[in-house]
Each structure stands twice: as structure tokens, then as C-alpha cells.
């Protein structure tokens, strides 16, 4: 079985600040770093570090996107489905405050240049039963979902950012939906994550919901709830934690692990991730996750 991650490839400009910039305010940052990112890249690397056989599909700039290709390849991700373009690479401006929380401004760039021909070419590289992991940082997301469903791939969607998902994306074709508590409530108008999972499952009975709850852990809802508690840790930077969680959960699921083991492994990986600065660079390796689980 192969896993395709069809998603964004960003250059992250990370600024450390005492607090997030408010309207009309100018503040000085205490540090700046340039890091490979994008939810697609983060999830591909997390999948690869979990031990999965992962292929990335997407776009990079031919001028400044080589660092992204190198990051994927150095982690064992296949890049035959990544196209180089003469355009500005997708990037993000990220503020990280003293509590480790982040605020992100995205510029789509090459991530918004996906074509229907490109989608068709990607689908030809995969077979029925393979997994495809998607986010909402590239254009033509509804078309990708439909093409993957028609190909009978297992469609795994992280609807982040959540804008336009309910209106435009055929959620009836999604097999696994990975959301955080706020996204779950936004998609269902529920008051709690649990209510939201139940409401989404009623609307889309084919769907399994995986909902992260921050420090409280995470739940899986496929008609019954499976829960796992979070782990106490010192938080340095939450950037990439959700992507790390998804990558490890899907990677372990592809190995045939139980829901309980997938949750525990994904939570352990996310716990290690928030203890370091940055997104892709903070994703732990499988041996580190297993050490934490066995501690």
C-alpha cells in the first residue's frame, strides 16, 4: 500500500514575539528563522518518520523551492509527483508568542497552481486501496477529492483552514476527517467536539472522525468513541503538532495498528513535537516516539 500526500509546500518565516501583533501596533521580534513547512510537507515528513511509504504531490518554485524538495527527499519521501514552476513559492509568516502559541498568515503562491491535468497524472500513480492525505492549502481540493474517490483511494482529509469546506468539498466522499475541536464545531455547528463528531457522522455515515483536543488528548468516533489522554509537557511551539499527530496516526493505521495504538502513538509524537521550535524540524522519529511510549 502507498500513501499519497497531495498538499502544500511552504517556506515558513517564523518570528518570536512577546505577544501577537495587534491592529495598529508595531513590535520587534526577538528572533527569526526560515524553515520548511506547509501542512502538506509537514504531514508527508510525519508519515515518513512514522515508517510509512509516502509520496508527495504538489508544486514548488523552481527558484526558491529547492530547500523543500531537499527536505522531503532527505526524509525518504518520494517526490516524482512534485512539479517545479516559475512562480513565487507558497509561504507563511508565523508569529510564536512566549507561551508557544502561534498565529499564521499564509500566501498560497505555487500551492494555488494545481491543474486538473496534474490531478489526473497523480491519480494514475496510485491504485485502489492506497491512501491519499489532503488539506485545504491547495486549490482544486474538491476536484482532488472526487478524483481520489473515483479511483477508490482511501480519502483522508484535514480540513485546515476550514474556510469553504462545508460549501465546496464533497465530504460524503471522505473516509477519515482529522479535525481539532474548533474545526469540528465549525463544520457541524455543535457546541462540543463530541456533539460535533456525532452530528458529522450522522450526516456522513461513511466517515470516521479523528478529533484532537489539545492537552486533553484526542478521540476517534466511528459510531463509538475511543479516547486517549494527552501528555504533560513543556510547550515551546505548537506549530506542526496537528500535522505530526495526523502523520503518525495514518502511518500507524496503515500498519494495521488498533485505534487505541494509533491514538497513543500520535499523541506521543505530537507531545515531542511541541517541545521543539518549528514545524517540520520538530517532527520526531519513530524511535523517539517508541521510547516515550515505553518510558
Amino acid at each position: 500500500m502507498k500513501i499519497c500526500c497531495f498538499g502544500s509546500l511552504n517556506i515558513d518565516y517564523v518570528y518570536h514575539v512577546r505577544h501577537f501583533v495587534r491592529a495598529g501596533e508595531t513590535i520587534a521580534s526577538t528572533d527569526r528563522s526560515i524553515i520548511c513547512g506547509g501542512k502538506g510537507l509537514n504531514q508527508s515528513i510525519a508519515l515518513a518518520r512514522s515508517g510509512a511509504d509516502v509520496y508527495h504531490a504538489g508544486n514548488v518554485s523552481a527558484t526558491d523551492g529547492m530547500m523543500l524538495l531537499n527536505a522531503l527527499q532527505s526524509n525518504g519521501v518520494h517526490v516524482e509527483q512534485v512539479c517545479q514552476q516559475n512562480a513565487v513559492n507558497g509561504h507563511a509568516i508565523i508569529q510564536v508568542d512566549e507561551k508557544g502559541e502561534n498565529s499564521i498568515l499564509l500566501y498560497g503562491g505555487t500551492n494555488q497552481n494545481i491543474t486538473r491535468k496534474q490531478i489526473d497524472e497523480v491519480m494514475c500513480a496510485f491504485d485502489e486501496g492506497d491512501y491519499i492525505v489532503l488539506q485545504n492549502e491547495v486549490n482544486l481540493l474538491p476536484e482532488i477529492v472526487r478524483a481520489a474517490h473515483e479511483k477508490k483511494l482511501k480519502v483522508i482529509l484535514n480540513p485546515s483552514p476550514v474556510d469553504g469546506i462545508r460549501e465546496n468539498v464533497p465530504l460524503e466522499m471522505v473516509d477519515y476527517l482529522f479535525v481539532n475541536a474548533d474545526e469540528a464545531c465549525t463544520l457541524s455547528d455543535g457546541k462540543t467536539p463530541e456533539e460535533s463528531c456525532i452530528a458529522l457522522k450522522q450526516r456522513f455515515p461513511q466517515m470516521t472522525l479523528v478529533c484532537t483536543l489539545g492537552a486533553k488528548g484526542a478521540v476517534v468516533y466511528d459510531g463509538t468513541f475511543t479516547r486517549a489522554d494527552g501528555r504533560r509537557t513543556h510547550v515551546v511551539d505548537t506549530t506542526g503538532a496537528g500535522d505530526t499527530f495526523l502523520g503518525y496516526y495514518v502511518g500507524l493505521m496503515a500498519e494495521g495498528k488498533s485505534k487505541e495504538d494509533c491514538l497513543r502513538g500520535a499523541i506521543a509524537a505530537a507531545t515531542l513535537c511541541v517541545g521543539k521550535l518549528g514545524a517540520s524540524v520538530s517532527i520526531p522519529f519513530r524511535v523517539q516516539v517508541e521510547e516515550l511510549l515505553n518510558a
Side-chain angles (χ1 to χ4, degrees):
M1 178 206 306
K2 295 189 292 188
I3 301 176
C4 173
C5 185
F6 200 150
S8 56
L9 295 159
N10 281 342
I11 300 171
D12 289 349
Y13 300 92
V14 182
Y15 296 85
H16 282 260
V17 293
R18 300 189 189 284
H19 62 267
F20 297 149
V21 179
R22 293 184 285 264
E25 182 182 33
T26 300
I27 63 174
S29 64
T30 59
D31 192 18
R32 188 194 81 149
S33 54
I34 301 174
I35 300 172
C36 296
K39 295 187 71 64
L41 179 138
N42 295 341
Q43 291 176 14
S44 277
I45 291 178
L47 282 159
R49 291 188 178 182
S50 78
D53 184 26
V54 56
Y55 296 70
H56 195 93
N59 296 329
V60 296
S61 169
T63 54
D64 60 354
M66 292 305 100
M67 63 183 291
L68 302 170
L69 278 179
N70 292 337
L72 291 172
Q73 290 178 305
S74 66
N75 281 279
V77 178
H78 303 278
V79 297
E80 296 87 346
Q81 303 300 327
V82 177
C83 299
Q84 298 181 37
Q85 299 183 335
N86 292 319
V88 176
N89 208 98
H91 59 266
I93 297 172
I94 303 174
Q95 299 178 72
V96 180
D97 70 10
E98 292 179 331
K99 298 178 182 178
E101 295 297 322
N102 63 70
S103 175
I104 303 174
L105 175 64
L106 285 175
Y107 175 74
T110 47
N111 296 314
Q112 296 299 309
N113 294 340
I114 304 297
T115 66
R116 286 173 173 80
K117 179 183 178 183
Q118 187 177 359
I119 295 170
D120 292 340
E121 291 173 349
V122 170
M123 294 303 147
C124 288
F126 298 93
D127 300 313
E128 178 179 347
D130 287 340
Y131 290 9
I132 186 165
V133 176
L134 306 169
Q135 319 82 31
N136 194 24
E137 290 184 347
V138 299
N139 64 310
L140 298 184
L141 177 61
E143 286 82 353
I144 300 172
V145 171
R146 292 188 183 96
H149 178 73
E150 183 177 336
K151 187 78 176 187
K152 297 184 179 179
L153 304 183
K154 189 76 70 175
V155 180
I156 298 164
L157 174 63
N158 174 210
S160 181
V162 77
D163 298 347
I165 292 293
R166 286 204 301 185
E167 298 83 0
N168 301 319
V169 177
L171 294 176
E172 68 277 6
M173 298 180 181
V174 172
D175 298 291
Y176 283 83
L177 191 74
F178 281 75
V179 289
N180 61 31
D182 290 340
E183 291 162 347
C185 294
T186 298
L187 289 172
S188 69
D189 297 320
K191 295 181 179 179
T192 68
E194 290 79 3
E195 287 180 1
S196 300
C197 287
I198 292 170
L200 286 166
K201 181 70 172 174
Q202 288 174 341
R203 285 188 61 197
F204 307 106
Q206 86 293 341
M207 182 186 290
T208 294
L209 286 300
V210 184
C211 183
T212 56
L213 306 172
K216 295 181 180 179
V219 299
V220 178
Y221 185 66
D222 55 5
T224 58
F225 280 103
T226 303
R227 306 173 187 271
D229 293 332
R231 289 173 170 266
R232 288 180 175 271
T233 190
H234 173 65
V235 176
V236 175
D237 181 6
T238 59
T239 309
D243 299 329
T244 299
F245 177 95
L246 182 150
Y248 264 83
Y249 190 102
V250 174
L252 293 170
M253 181 171 65
E255 291 181 12
K257 301 291 187 183
S258 67
K259 291 178 290 184
E260 293 82 1
D261 285 344
C262 290
L263 278 174
R264 284 194 291 266
I267 288 171
T271 300
L272 291 169
C273 174
V274 300
K276 294 176 64 178
L277 172 65
S280 61
V281 294
S282 67
I283 298 169
F285 291 90
R286 179 71 172 265
V287 64
Q288 296 171 305
V289 173
E290 291 178 349
E291 287 174 355
L292 179 58
L293 289 170
N294 294 329

